[in-house]
Amino acid sequence: ADVNLVPLTEGGLELELSEMETLSVKTLLEANGIQVMVVGASQMPNLPYEILVPQSQLQEAIQIVKDAQQGLPPESGEPA
């Protein structure tokens, strides 16, 4: 199955993540059933890593990250 992966930032999400933040976002998205691929964005020194998700799940992934950034509990209702 060839999945079209796109960067999370393509959806207008402003992300400048440290290595730790990148890992936590990856974990968060995977916990929500979204396939995640992390690549080094070497051409952009201020963004050491880029998070890629399937294009079909881009909007969902952005919403999950935005909710997390705002400190909202995830939809699943699981305790953090």
Side-chain angles (χ1 to χ4, degrees):
D2 194 24
V3 179
N4 186 18
L5 294 173
V6 295
L8 264 184
T9 49
E10 186 171 294
L13 190 63
E14 290 297 320
L15 280 183
E16 292 198 21
L17 301 175
S18 67
E19 189 171 357
M20 287 303 299
E21 288 170 321
T22 299
L23 284 172
S24 61
V25 169
K26 178 177 188 285
T27 303
L28 174 71
L29 293 176
E30 287 177 340
N32 283 274
I34 292 178
Q35 178 188 344
V36 180
M37 185 172 166
V38 177
V39 295
S42 53
Q43 73 277 19
M44 298 172 71
N46 62 322
L47 290 176
Y49 300 100
E50 191 153 49
I51 296 175
L52 304 181
V53 298
Q55 191 164 28
S56 59
Q57 293 180 302
L58 178 62
Q59 293 307 317
E60 185 186 351
I62 287 172
Q63 194 58 54
I64 290 167
V65 174
K66 279 184 177 171
D67 288 351
Q69 284 177 335
Q70 291 164 8
L72 300 176
E75 302 265 332
S76 59
E78 290 178 292

